[in-house]
Amino acid sequence: MAGIVVVFDFDKTIIDLDSDNWVVDELGATDLFNELLPTMPWNSVMDRMMMELHAQGRTIDEIAEVLKRAPIHPDVVPAIRAAHAIGCDLRIVSDANMFFIETILNHLGIRECFSEINTNPGFVDEEGRLRIFPIHDFHKSSHGCNLCPPNMCKGIVMERIQSSLMSEGKKKKKFIYLGDGSGDYCPSLKLGEGDFLMPRKNFPLWDLISQNPLLIKAEIHEWSDGEEFANILLSLINTISMAENAQFLSSQNMAVPAYEALPSPTHKPAMVAN
């Protein structure tokens, strides 16, 4: 449905783990990553890790092959395809990076399902090394949100999406937001009445919501695994679609024409078997 916008986090939402950790662990660089993490921001650590892996002779193709092995629940991809086929506007807002996300989506055959990916830039430079930069350059200025990491405020991204859709002059969209992490809390606060929030149960986003659920205006539907992810998402889309169709029919004033009353059928006595 054109009136439904579904916004997904990526790590631990579409795929079942953190893509940064997955690459680092699978390529045997976990110790160095843990050593560097206390000394610099996450994005800077990932950029440095890509430099170190390149220096060790690791190639972009090797990184891509690791990403293609990232575990994902078998129900997630069919659900995304179904939502796209129905006509929902699907978008990603993630603190991963563009190279990781697009590599995985292309491998799964669902890149074209998403109209927009908002994430940290990730690209291969002229030396064949993967570079990863923050979507917001926090060295130059702060995005001003104390709920989010310095490199990305997902709430600001959500507000931009909402504003851009409103400026198109069309009817108000219904949003469904799916996420798991603490960085998904800020955009959850931007949802309004009539929207839907799908936090992953017993993950940081769920914990933050549980502290004060009244701060969330959207209707909350928790999920635990890919099966629930798919069932709840498609159920919500179906519910919204039926409500929109009913509203459309009502607006068309499709009243039944008033014809002259037909004569009542003559009552016949029941036949009794001899």
Side-chain angles (χ1 to χ4, degrees):
M1 295 294 292
I4 303 174
V5 182
V6 186
V7 181
F8 300 83
D9 177 37
F10 188 74
D11 290 342
K12 299 182 182 179
T13 299
I14 291 179
I15 63 172
D16 216 18
L17 41 64
D18 181 281
S19 56
D20 288 344
N21 290 138
W22 173 253
V23 169
V24 168
D25 293 346
E26 288 294 296
L27 293 179
T30 307
D31 290 343
L32 178 59
F33 178 85
N34 291 336
E35 181 182 331
L36 292 174
L37 190 56
T39 68
M40 61 183 78
W42 186 282
N43 295 107
S44 301
V45 173
M46 284 306 299
D47 188 53
R48 173 70 179 277
M49 291 305 303
M50 296 305 104
M51 180 178 69
E52 295 292 339
L53 289 170
H54 181 73
Q56 295 173 16
R58 296 288 193 172
T59 67
I60 288 296
D61 288 342
E62 286 181 275
I63 295 172
E65 288 305 312
V66 168
L67 290 166
K68 292 173 185 178
R69 298 198 305 267
I72 180 170
H73 192 281
D75 290 346
V76 169
V77 169
I80 289 172
R81 285 190 174 133
H84 177 256
I86 292 168
C88 297
D89 180 358
L90 310 184
R91 305 182 183 221
I92 289 175
V93 179
S94 169
D95 199 10
N97 69 79
M98 190 65 78
F99 181 84
F100 285 11
I101 292 174
E102 289 198 320
T103 298
I104 293 172
L105 295 182
N106 284 327
H107 175 66
L108 296 171
I110 55 173
R111 172 61 185 90
E112 70 280 359
C113 293
F114 297 93
S115 64
E116 182 180 63
I117 298 175
N118 298 273
T119 190
N120 299 294
F123 61 91
V124 182
D125 67 13
E126 63 279 1
E127 297 179 6
R129 178 166 71 93
L130 179 60
R131 301 301 311 274
I132 298 173
F133 294 101
I135 189 171
H136 175 80
D137 189 351
F138 52 87
H139 295 295
K140 292 183 178 179
S141 64
S142 167
H143 53 55
C145 177
N146 59 9
L147 294 176
C148 296
N151 66 292
M152 184 182 198
C153 173
K154 292 187 178 183
I156 292 175
V157 177
M158 272 296 296
E159 287 179 327
R160 180 191 59 74
I161 293 172
Q162 292 167 325
S163 177
S164 67
L165 293 173
M166 287 288 289
S167 67
E168 293 177 2
K170 300 178 181 178
K171 68 176 182 177
K172 186 178 183 297
K173 308 289 186 180
K174 297 283 188 181
F175 280 83
I176 303 174
Y177 189 96
L178 299 89
D180 71 283
S182 57
D184 296 307
Y185 184 62
C186 184
S188 299
L189 296 172
K190 308 300 181 183
L191 299 172
E193 294 182 6
D195 293 331
F196 300 86
L197 175 61
M198 288 181 57
R200 191 166 189 179
K201 193 171 184 179
N202 297 324
F203 279 69
L205 173 59
W206 169 260
D207 294 338
L208 288 168
I209 293 169
S210 299
Q211 291 175 17
N212 193 348
L214 296 179
L215 294 177
I216 303 296
K217 297 177 182 177
E219 191 174 299
I220 300 171
H221 294 263
E222 73 271 12
W223 58 281
S224 297
D225 56 25
E227 181 180 359
E228 291 184 353
F229 168 111
N231 290 339
I232 294 171
L233 174 60
L234 296 179
S235 175
L236 289 177
I237 291 172
N238 185 54
T239 298
I240 297 169
S241 299
M242 288 193 298
E244 286 187 351
N245 290 337
Q247 187 176 17
F248 174 77
L249 292 174
S250 176
S251 68
Q252 297 301 303
N253 194 24
M254 297 180 66
V256 177
Y259 296 104
E260 291 185 6
L262 295 174
S264 300
T266 301
H267 178 73
K268 296 182 178 179
M271 296 181 65
V272 179
N274 293 326

